[in-house]
Amino acid sequence: GRCGYRMTTYVSGTNNEKVFQFNQFFYDAYRTWGVYFAHAYRDLRAYAGDNWSNREKTKLEQQNRMILELNKIRRVVNLYSGYERENRTATVCAPVEGSDVQTADQMSNLLYYVYDKANADYIISEAFEHSLKTGLSIIGLYMDYSRDKINGDIKMYWKPFNALMIDPYFTKRDLSDCDQCSTRDLLSKEQIKGLLPWIDPAQIDMLPTGIRDNKYQYLGIYRQYNSTYIAKNLCTYDQYWKRITVEQKYLVDLVTGVSEEWSGDKDAEKELMKRLSELPHDRLRLIKSHKRTVELNIIVSGQLMYTGPDPTGLDNFPFIPVLLYHEPLIDTFELKIQGIVRSVRDAQRQYNRRHSQIIDIMESIINTGWITKNGAVLDPNMLMQAGQGRQVVVNEGYDVNADVREISPPNIPPGYLQYQDIIDKNIMEIPGASDELLGLSSVGDSQVSGKLAEVRASNGLKGNRGIFDNLEQSKKYLGKLVIECIQKNYSPGKIQRILGEEPSEQFLSGQFEEYDCAIKQAVKTPTQREAYYYQLLQLLSLGAPIPWDKVLEVAPIQGSTKLHEILAQQQEQQQQAAQIEQEQMQMQ
């Protein structure tokens, strides 16, 4: 069957060259990535509310002091994540000058459909929020054949930094200069049987379970006490992509330079050559060349189960990274990729430390202690009393002023509490956030108009506009992958069923996306029908002669059927009145 695995090579074994290449790639890359993984893991724990080291916790416990964790980092991350969720954009196709508008509209409608069915908005937001914490995540595509057994359905996923291993020498956000990548999942044997239907189930049942290597050491399950026991019913499911070069035939137009891949068999090629020889011109040629593509290797519990093209049919990696701060020119990897948490981690630690010291000082003021001679007080427990109505009885023969004296409490240094406010403000301002981002003013005038608050929030974001621009760029690259995946997998019949109309001739051409349309971000609406509705309203406001019945057809309101009936009755009454008037004029 088709099932996405065309031109498939089925293999199995442990001492395979592909497994050796995967192991060599992983350990070589980890030597470079290791310092980043350590810092990203600390960033993730800092966001979750763990900023004290074990040594500091032990010291505080020995001093009978509170271990305070006043998490201010979560507020900053949620601020940017919430803004992105409130201002989501839709990925659409816009026709380039002189190109087919109908085809671009059809592609946009298909993108709406795929993104909605794949729950893309939520997945993109989750990946972006994770990149705010650690600096790196990916958004990927896969084919789901559970409902459509022939064409499949395009679905999306996201993975965190600790489930990835990317070629450490990549510099471009679309991974065009990346040679190798891998991801890991921990799956049950039943899940693996569903993903690898061509493998004998008995062979999968014989696979060893548990984690038996030292790869992906920062996955959450690895940090637990006994990961082998916890994952005793799970298998490691590794996907290893590698760029390769293969032979490919192309049908080339010598005048325009446009080329199309040709993958026909010998009989089809013979028929093609016959037709080319009958053409009056010699501008079309069938040439043999090479192309860069991606080879996927699936390794389960250390055994190679599949090697061949990616099931999506893409010639690129089927995922796009979401990078927050990426400095490819820096050689140290703990600085090359960062999230927002990295810049405020130290400020959060200082805030916790100062707050713990302030509470310790305030508690010492309440009961600083006493200096007494032995036997001067009738009951030493009296000295431990707190609150009002304390009573201390001094034995006879002792001087109250000389033999029993309360320790003077230390004075809180001037500015100590003000410094704590400064640290709190730094946690917001260091990553580029501020009160203006919340619509407030730094001078405290909260009684302002909604428009002024909106302008202040917009101005507050300009300092970090780059991270949202990077996200839009990643979404643009993802849109290109989705379009290519649609053209490689969806049949014209499925496309017609989705669109409700015949796809245009240019739709299935691999050249349209390259030359005739541009992937861009548009205002996000729940459906393409609402987007069309708002565009009609904009045209109406400019004076376009659009009938109201056409506007009501796409209006996202309840009771539109009743409105159609009322509008139809009005039009009928107007026609009758016009007909009566015309008859009267004829009689006159």
Side-chain angles (χ1 to χ4, degrees):
R2 191 173 173 183
C3 292
Y5 289 87
R6 299 174 291 276
M7 298 174 58
T8 305
T9 304
Y10 308 137
V11 293
S12 178
T14 54
N15 299 321
N16 191 282
E17 181 184 356
K18 303 293 185 182
V19 178
F20 174 77
Q21 291 177 1
F22 167 60
N23 292 333
Q24 188 176 30
F25 155 71
F26 184 90
Y27 292 121
D28 287 347
Y30 186 79
R31 292 187 185 96
T32 307
W33 278 105
V35 290
Y36 162 76
F37 285 133
H39 279 274
Y41 183 72
R42 286 181 59 191
D43 294 338
L44 197 58
R45 293 190 68 88
Y47 166 82
D50 183 18
N51 285 277
W52 295 98
S53 66
N54 292 331
R55 182 179 178 182
E56 290 170 335
K57 291 178 181 178
T58 302
K59 186 176 179 181
L60 290 173
E61 289 174 352
Q62 292 174 350
Q63 297 175 356
N64 293 323
R65 292 169 57 186
M66 298 176 64
I67 303 175
L68 295 174
E69 187 65 62
L70 307 174
N71 194 344
K72 297 282 188 176
I73 295 178
R74 190 187 299 270
R75 173 185 61 174
V76 179
V77 173
N78 289 350
L79 183 64
Y80 286 101
S81 176
Y83 181 84
E84 186 275 331
R85 294 173 192 268
E86 282 288 326
N87 297 273
R88 287 170 172 159
T89 56
T91 303
V92 297
C93 289
V96 180
E97 239 178 284
S99 60
D100 190 351
V101 177
Q102 180 191 6
T103 304
D105 288 342
Q106 289 182 345
M107 282 190 173
S108 296
N109 293 338
L110 262 180
L111 285 175
Y112 268 111
Y113 175 85
V114 171
Y115 275 56
D116 181 60
K117 295 298 182 182
N119 199 16
D121 289 336
Y122 178 76
I123 291 173
I124 293 171
S125 295
E126 286 292 298
F128 176 69
E129 183 174 320
H130 185 78
S131 70
L132 288 169
K133 304 169 189 175
T134 64
L136 172 65
S137 62
I138 63 168
I139 305 170
L141 309 177
Y142 71 97
M143 300 303 299
D144 179 15
Y145 291 89
S146 60
R147 299 176 67 88
D148 189 336
K149 306 298 182 182
I150 304 299
N151 300 278
D153 294 304
I154 300 172
K155 295 298 179 67
M156 295 187 185
Y157 64 87
W158 78 274
K159 289 186 182 297
F161 82 99
N162 49 12
L164 314 174
M165 183 56 69
I166 303 177
D167 182 355
Y169 304 109
F170 83 97
T171 60
K172 299 180 180 178
R173 292 178 178 268
D174 61 350
L175 298 181
S176 58
D177 59 348
C178 179
D179 287 332
Q180 302 174 78
C181 296
S182 67
T183 63
R184 166 162 288 189
D185 295 282
L186 294 173
L187 305 175
S188 67
K189 291 183 178 180
E190 294 303 317
Q191 289 174 309
I192 295 172
K193 291 176 185 178
L195 292 173
L196 308 176
W198 63 87
I199 302 296
D200 185 4
Q203 183 179 348
I204 296 177
D205 289 332
M206 295 174 60
L207 292 173
T209 57
I211 302 170
R212 300 174 178 272
D213 55 22
N214 293 322
K215 299 184 181 69
Y216 303 95
Q217 295 182 3
Y218 286 92
L219 272 174
I221 197 169
Y222 279 87
R223 317 305 294 182
Q224 301 184 25
Y225 177 71
N226 190 338
S227 60
T228 303
Y229 175 77
I230 294 171
K232 64 177 182 178
N233 296 321
L234 302 177
C235 298
T236 55
Y237 187 88
D238 297 317
Q239 297 181 84
Y240 167 52
W241 292 269
K242 183 180 180 181
R243 287 197 186 274
I244 58 174
T245 302
V246 296
E247 288 188 354
Q248 178 65 48
K249 292 181 179 180
Y250 293 91
L251 186 62
V252 182
D253 188 330
L254 300 180
V255 177
T256 62
V258 175
S259 61
E260 289 274 2
E261 291 185 11
W262 171 261
S263 301
D265 55 16
K266 290 185 178 179
D267 293 336
E269 183 177 343
K270 186 181 296 184
E271 179 67 21
L272 175 65
M273 297 303 295
K274 178 181 177 182
R275 296 198 176 196
L276 292 179
S277 62
E278 294 173 354
L279 294 176
H281 52 75
D282 191 26
R283 59 183 291 181
L284 296 180
R285 295 276 183 88
L286 185 66
I287 64 172
K288 183 184 293 185
S289 183
H290 295 82
K291 74 168 182 177
R292 290 191 71 194
T293 185
V294 171
E295 178 189 75
L296 171 63
N297 301 281
I298 299 177
I299 302 169
V300 183
S301 295
Q303 298 186 24
L304 184 66
M305 294 294 178
Y306 167 82
T307 182
D310 190 89
T312 59
L314 299 173
D315 291 323
N316 291 304
F317 298 112
F319 52 82
I320 290 296
V322 180
L323 297 163
L324 201 75
Y325 297 121
H326 180 218
E327 299 293 342
L329 301 180
I330 296 180
D331 56 342
T332 52
F333 268 70
E334 67 270 24
L335 300 176
K336 186 185 289 285
I337 297 176
Q338 298 182 36
I340 277 183
V341 176
R342 185 74 55 84
S343 60
V344 294
R345 198 172 64 191
D346 290 340
Q348 176 68 66
R349 282 175 47 82
Q350 188 74 354
Y351 185 85
N352 291 341
R353 188 181 183 90
R354 289 299 179 195
H355 215 85
S356 179
Q357 292 172 349
I358 291 173
I359 290 180
D360 188 54
I361 291 175
M362 296 178 70
E363 288 182 346
S364 66
I365 292 175
I366 296 174
N367 188 2
T368 56
W370 297 77
I371 298 175
T372 65
K373 284 186 178 181
N374 189 21
V377 181
L378 178 63
D379 185 0
N381 289 329
M382 293 179 176
L383 302 177
M384 307 302 296
Q385 296 175 10
Q388 298 178 358
R390 292 188 297 170
Q391 182 179 11
V392 179
V393 179
V394 181
N395 291 324
E396 294 183 1
Y398 290 92
D399 186 356
V400 176
N401 297 323
D403 299 332
V404 181
R405 181 165 54 88
E406 188 174 7
I407 300 174
S408 300
N411 295 322
I412 299 179
Y416 209 89
L417 297 176
Q418 288 81 353
Y419 180 66
Q420 187 73 349
D421 294 335
I422 293 175
I423 298 176
D424 186 17
K425 190 175 182 180
N426 283 341
I427 294 176
M428 284 290 288
E429 291 187 349
I430 288 174
S434 63
D435 290 336
E436 278 75 10
L437 193 56
L438 300 173
L440 305 176
S441 173
S442 57
V443 297
D445 54 333
S446 57
Q447 301 296 327
V448 296
S449 66
K451 184 61 178 178
L452 180 56
E454 182 181 350
V455 172
R456 283 176 174 171
S458 177
N459 291 335
L461 274 174
K462 289 180 181 178
N464 255 333
R465 186 64 184 87
I467 64 177
F468 295 101
D469 190 52
N470 294 337
L471 176 63
E472 290 179 6
Q473 191 71 9
S474 296
K475 292 168 71 173
K476 178 181 178 181
Y477 294 142
L478 181 66
K480 289 184 176 181
L481 290 183
V482 173
I483 288 177
E484 185 179 352
C485 196
I486 290 172
Q487 292 174 330
K488 291 287 182 67
N489 294 279
Y490 285 9
S491 65
K494 176 163 185 167
I495 295 173
Q496 181 180 1
R497 187 180 65 180
I498 295 172
L499 297 176
E501 62 182 13
E502 286 278 350
S504 66
E505 294 182 1
Q506 290 182 305
F507 187 93
L508 297 177
S509 169
Q511 304 300 323
F512 185 80
E513 186 270 327
E514 185 70 24
Y515 297 105
D516 299 321
C517 76
I519 309 298
K520 67 175 188 177
Q521 302 302 307
V523 176
K524 175 65 180 176
T525 57
T527 63
Q528 62 261 39
R529 177 177 174 175
E530 288 191 24
Y532 179 56
Y533 169 70
Y534 290 124
Q535 290 168 356
L536 284 181
L537 292 183
Q538 290 179 352
L539 291 175
L540 277 173
S541 64
L542 297 175
I546 301 175
W548 276 107
D549 57 341
K550 299 300 182 183
V551 177
L552 289 178
E553 285 180 3
V554 294
I557 56 176
Q558 297 294 328
S560 58
T561 304
K562 191 69 176 177
L563 287 176
H564 275 294
E565 294 176 358
I566 295 173
L567 188 63
Q569 291 175 0
Q570 290 179 349
Q571 290 178 347
E572 185 177 356
Q573 292 174 359
Q574 291 174 357
Q575 290 176 357
Q576 291 176 354
Q579 185 177 0
I580 293 174
E581 183 179 358
Q582 186 177 6
E583 290 176 354
Q584 291 177 349
M585 291 178 62
Q586 289 177 351
M587 290 178 64
Q588 291 175 356

